[in-house]
Amino acid sequence: MDVQALSPEVIQDTNAAPTPSDAVPADLIDSTFGSTCIDLISSSLDSSILAFSDEWFAPASNLTNPKPPIRRPGVFVPTGAWYDGWETRRHNPEPYDWVIIKLGVASGRVKGVEIDTAFFDGNHAEAVKIQGCFEAGEDADTKVTGKEYTGWRQVLGHRECGPTQRQAWKVEDGSEVTHVRLCMFPDGGIARFRLYGQVVPVFPTAMDRGVELSSALLGGMVVSASEQHFGSNKSNLILPGRGVDMGGGWETRRSRDPGHVDWAIVRLGARGTVKRIIVDTAFYRGNFPQAMKIDACDCGEETPNAADPGWKEVVGVQKLGPDQEHQYAGSCLNSVAGAAFTHLKLTIIPDGGVKRFRVFGMRRVRAGRRMIGYTAEPKPDLPCLLCLHGGGTSGYIFTIQTGRLQRALAKHFRFVFVDGPFECAAGPGVLPFFEGMGPYKRWINKDGCDEDKVRPLLKQKMAEDGGNFVGVLGFSQGARLAFGLLHEKQELRAEAFDEFGFGVFICGTYPPLGLSSALFPVTPTAQFESQYWEEKHKNILNIPTVHVMGNKDPFLHKSQLLSKCSDPSSTTIIEFGMGHHLPVAPADTQRLANKVITLHRNYEHELSGRTVEDLGKGLEQVAVAEIPLQT
């Protein structure tokens, strides 16, 4: 029998005593973290198990199940007794077993850890430690699961675990992480792993873009509720999506007293105006509330109670129905004109179940305050980039997708977003992260690009903004249209788009879209992609452009075809190791940002009649913050 030789470091780690001061008694875990934190790795937030050392008896995916663990005595599977948790085989030759988990949000600050060994007795983990890291970029998941990765840092040191019990500890330093690694000494079983913390949201740079202010993904929090019976959790109200059954909502017990009501108070992820509210009773058919009302207040950092006199009625008493979304906007909303709020209170009459409570609006920051996730607004006199989203998304979604690039160029440009005119289904990669953020739009209908709809839309947006537009930026289908706008300027000197001096095409597809039928007649895509099209329109655009491509993009061939339509002497091709999305790695974002600055400076010099041999001299290097962004 081989006996493992343990290093002094491993012996010291294994024998380390727990820190008594950070332990949270089992009966205080929910009250300690329930109103100030969410579970950052809950599977309901779409977290991911990336890798593990072993899962012989029970899968690691059980660790992040938001539901309490259950027991099925006497039930056996091919590997042994059935357990609702993660269990590894005996006699681990390594110091510990491990599992690596990607958070279900962009990133979060860790405030506490819970290890639940429910029903593991005699086969429970003897001890754990938690490590974390912050990694953004296309290859982040691959990077952190590599054996050579050295970026793990301690979130929670060595803590002993007991059998069949909940145990938790506070984390004081509030480490911001994107991934965590649970180390279990030496082997055994754990039912649930909760990582309590606060979301670090990534908001659109433009303050006038609507967002789901209540969403857990953007830092929303259900801070209190009258009760949460039937094992339901009040925090379910602000989760993404509509769930899969009745168990993923907030349900209260049956009331017997006349005049009874139940309530839940939501702290928004950012102070903001209220434009639209959804109360969703999905899957609640015989137990939905008879009615509801909604109030709001502006309380800053304070948490209001249900009877606080500062509440203002936003939606009066409204009857509810079973298994449906109830939307309130426009004339249905009261006291919202010119007002901003930090908290909303949902009151259900008299009791029952609600799946989701969703509040949409625009952020409003008090003077002198800087909110988490908020980036300073660009100056209004900066030159503008007209930004055209991809098919099956929207201008709002595009503000989120371009978040890093906006931050990198905040001192140089204003980004102006516009929605396409045609509603459609969500595009590739849009779901599930942008679920419920429709309507989703595109720039073409079944017959092509409708000049009578698209041209007035773009003209109106640019006129309303009143900015100095110097370039156009497009993604995917938006890049096709951006190409067409520049080509129209070049050939017809189109008045509305004459100011555009350069184009930025990210993961552009093919063929180009034009507003003028004289330049781009409506023709089936197959004919566009023929050799005839490629030869006839090769190098037709000589306005400076940059084509950004992803070598893992399934539409890479179409990006390459689009780039062939630009004159090689006036275009730059940049290829990144990514798929069909905007660059997310900081180095890639910085490279693209510097190129955009160069294009603009080149255009300015052209307008002034000067020639610059080396526009790269003295080019300001753009510092790109390592801010994670799901796309």
Side-chain angles (χ1 to χ4, degrees):
M1 175 179 176
D2 294 331
V3 178
Q4 180 190 8
L6 300 181
S7 67
E9 291 78 9
V10 171
I11 294 173
Q12 182 180 6
D13 193 9
T14 307
N15 293 334
T19 305
S21 61
D22 63 6
V24 179
D27 60 345
L28 296 180
I29 294 175
D30 294 336
S31 60
T32 300
F33 301 113
S35 297
T36 58
C37 301
I38 67 168
D39 181 6
L40 299 170
I41 57 173
S42 171
S43 59
S44 59
L45 292 177
D46 202 29
S47 61
S48 302
I49 305 294
L50 299 182
F52 47 80
S53 59
D54 182 65
E55 56 173 4
W56 177 262
F57 290 108
S61 58
N62 288 331
L63 287 170
T64 58
N65 186 340
K67 298 180 180 180
I70 61 174
R71 188 184 182 195
R72 299 172 65 185
V75 176
F76 286 83
V77 293
T79 55
W82 183 90
Y83 275 90
D84 186 9
W86 172 49
E87 186 180 5
T88 64
R89 71 190 79 197
R90 296 178 184 235
H91 314 306
N92 183 16
E94 301 296 330
Y96 52 79
D97 278 314
W98 52 266
V99 58
I100 296 174
I101 305 174
K102 179 181 180 179
L103 270 59
V105 296
S107 70
R109 292 192 176 94
V110 182
K111 298 297 182 180
V113 170
E114 177 184 348
I115 298 295
D116 187 350
T117 56
F119 312 118
F120 286 96
D121 188 355
N123 56 347
H124 62 280
E126 292 185 359
V128 298
K129 72 175 180 182
I130 313 297
Q131 299 171 319
C133 67
F134 188 103
E135 291 290 348
E138 176 70 19
D139 61 345
D141 294 350
T142 302
K143 186 176 181 180
V144 302
T145 54
K147 292 182 178 180
E148 68 285 353
Y149 184 67
T150 59
W152 295 111
R153 63 179 185 271
Q154 179 172 294
V155 172
L156 183 74
H158 190 283
R159 298 293 185 270
E160 293 181 357
C161 298
T164 191
Q165 61 185 282
R166 296 177 68 189
Q167 46 237 312
W169 304 268
K170 293 180 180 179
V171 175
E172 298 297 336
D173 67 347
S175 303
E176 184 178 346
V177 299
T178 56
H179 302 76
V180 290
R181 181 165 71 167
L182 166 62
C183 303
M184 174 172 64
F185 294 88
D187 50 46
I190 295 172
R192 296 290 187 269
F193 171 31
R194 312 288 190 209
L195 190 75
Y196 297 115
Q198 297 166 350
V199 176
V200 179
V202 179
F203 289 114
T205 300
M207 293 287 282
D208 62 348
R209 300 303 303 184
V211 295
E212 187 179 347
L213 295 167
S214 58
S215 172
L217 298 176
L218 293 179
M221 184 76 61
V222 184
V223 294
S224 59
S226 55
E227 63 144 294
Q228 46 186 3
H229 204 61
F230 299 111
S232 64
N233 190 320
K234 63 183 186 295
S235 296
N236 291 338
L237 284 170
I238 57 173
L239 294 176
R242 302 188 69 200
V244 295
D245 56 35
M246 195 173 66
W250 171 59
E251 184 179 2
T252 65
R253 73 187 75 201
R254 299 186 187 211
S255 60
R256 305 301 184 187
D257 301 326
H260 178 87
V261 298
D262 283 312
W263 50 265
I265 297 176
V266 175
R267 187 196 71 204
L268 304 179
R271 179 177 182 265
T273 61
V274 174
K275 299 296 183 182
R276 182 166 62 104
I277 298 174
I278 294 177
V279 177
D280 190 356
T281 57
F283 302 102
Y284 290 101
R285 300 183 179 94
N287 50 352
F288 62 94
Q290 290 183 348
M292 69 88 216
K293 68 185 295 286
I294 301 169
D295 300 276
C297 67
D298 187 9
C299 298
E301 300 297 328
E302 299 297 323
T303 299
N305 59 48
D308 194 294
W311 291 109
K312 296 180 180 180
E313 182 180 277
V314 173
V315 179
V317 175
Q318 299 285 328
K319 185 176 177 60
L320 295 180
D323 194 18
Q324 61 185 284
E325 287 185 327
H326 306 76
Q327 300 202 35
Y328 308 96
S331 60
C332 294
L333 302 179
N334 308 314
S335 306
V336 298
F341 305 105
T342 56
H343 296 75
L344 273 81
K345 178 178 66 171
L346 170 65
T347 301
I348 57 175
I349 306 169
D351 53 46
V354 175
K355 178 55 66 67
R356 298 290 184 262
F357 179 51
R358 308 176 66 186
V359 182
F360 298 84
M362 292 176 286
R363 291 172 297 140
R364 291 293 181 267
V365 180
R366 288 190 181 90
R369 294 302 302 271
R370 179 178 175 86
M371 301 188 73
I372 295 175
Y374 168 69
T375 302
E377 282 290 280
K379 296 179 180 179
D381 57 348
L382 289 175
C384 300
L385 297 177
L386 181 66
C387 301
L388 308 177
H389 61 77
T393 62
S394 66
Y396 163 52
I397 292 174
F398 202 30
T399 63
I400 298 176
Q401 294 172 325
T402 56
R404 281 197 189 84
L405 188 60
Q406 290 185 65
R407 285 166 173 81
L409 294 172
K411 295 181 181 179
H412 302 271
F413 300 98
R414 277 199 304 113
F415 287 61
V416 178
F417 298 86
V418 58
D419 287 331
F422 305 109
E423 290 194 19
C424 62
V430 173
L431 303 179
F433 185 74
F434 295 112
E435 184 176 359
M437 294 186 182
Y440 307 107
K441 300 295 189 72
R442 62 183 178 182
W443 298 104
I444 57 176
N445 57 21
K446 62 181 180 179
D447 298 320
C449 192
D450 190 332
E451 178 179 1
D452 294 333
K453 289 185 178 295
V454 177
R455 187 187 299 278
L457 182 71
L458 299 179
K459 282 186 175 182
Q460 179 181 354
K461 183 64 177 180
M462 295 170 67
E464 289 176 350
D465 183 86
N468 172 29
F469 286 84
V470 296
V472 57
L473 180 152
F475 173 77
S476 192
Q477 188 182 103
R480 295 174 60 192
L481 178 58
F483 186 103
L485 298 182
L486 292 181
H487 187 246
E488 182 169 311
K489 174 205 168 172
Q490 173 183 292
E491 299 299 317
L492 303 178
R493 305 299 295 177
E495 181 179 347
F497 313 117
D498 189 49
E499 349 179 51
F500 293 155
F502 60 90
V504 181
F505 309 146
I506 303 174
C507 295
T509 51
Y510 183 85
L513 289 174
L515 298 184
S516 173
S517 58
L519 295 176
F520 292 97
V522 177
T523 310
T525 300
Q527 182 173 338
F528 273 126
E529 294 186 356
S530 69
Q531 184 66 28
Y532 168 79
W533 167 261
E534 291 182 42
E535 292 301 323
K536 181 178 179 180
H537 294 280
K538 186 176 182 180
N539 304 344
I540 61 172
L541 184 65
N542 55 35
I543 294 175
T545 57
V546 56
H547 290 258
V548 178
M549 308 178 190
N551 60 17
K552 301 176 184 176
D553 185 351
F555 305 106
L556 175 59
H557 176 62
K558 293 181 178 292
S559 295
Q560 293 169 335
L561 286 176
L562 186 67
S563 70
K564 290 180 180 180
C565 297
S566 292
D567 189 324
S569 65
S570 62
T571 193
T572 300
I573 297 176
I574 301 177
E575 187 171 302
F576 294 130
M578 65 181 195
H580 193 69
H581 53 75
L582 277 88
V584 293
D588 294 347
T589 303
Q590 178 168 325
R591 182 180 175 191
L592 175 57
N594 286 342
K595 182 59 185 178
V596 175
I597 294 171
T598 300
L599 286 172
H600 179 230
R601 290 186 176 177
N602 192 13
Y603 181 49
E604 287 184 320
H605 289 306
E606 178 185 331
L607 292 176
S608 64
R610 291 180 290 141
T611 302
V612 176
E613 294 295 329
D614 184 8
L615 290 171
K617 289 183 179 179
L619 176 64
E620 175 185 351
Q621 293 298 306
V622 181
V624 180
E626 298 234 5
I627 301 174
L629 182 67
Q630 290 183 266
T631 58

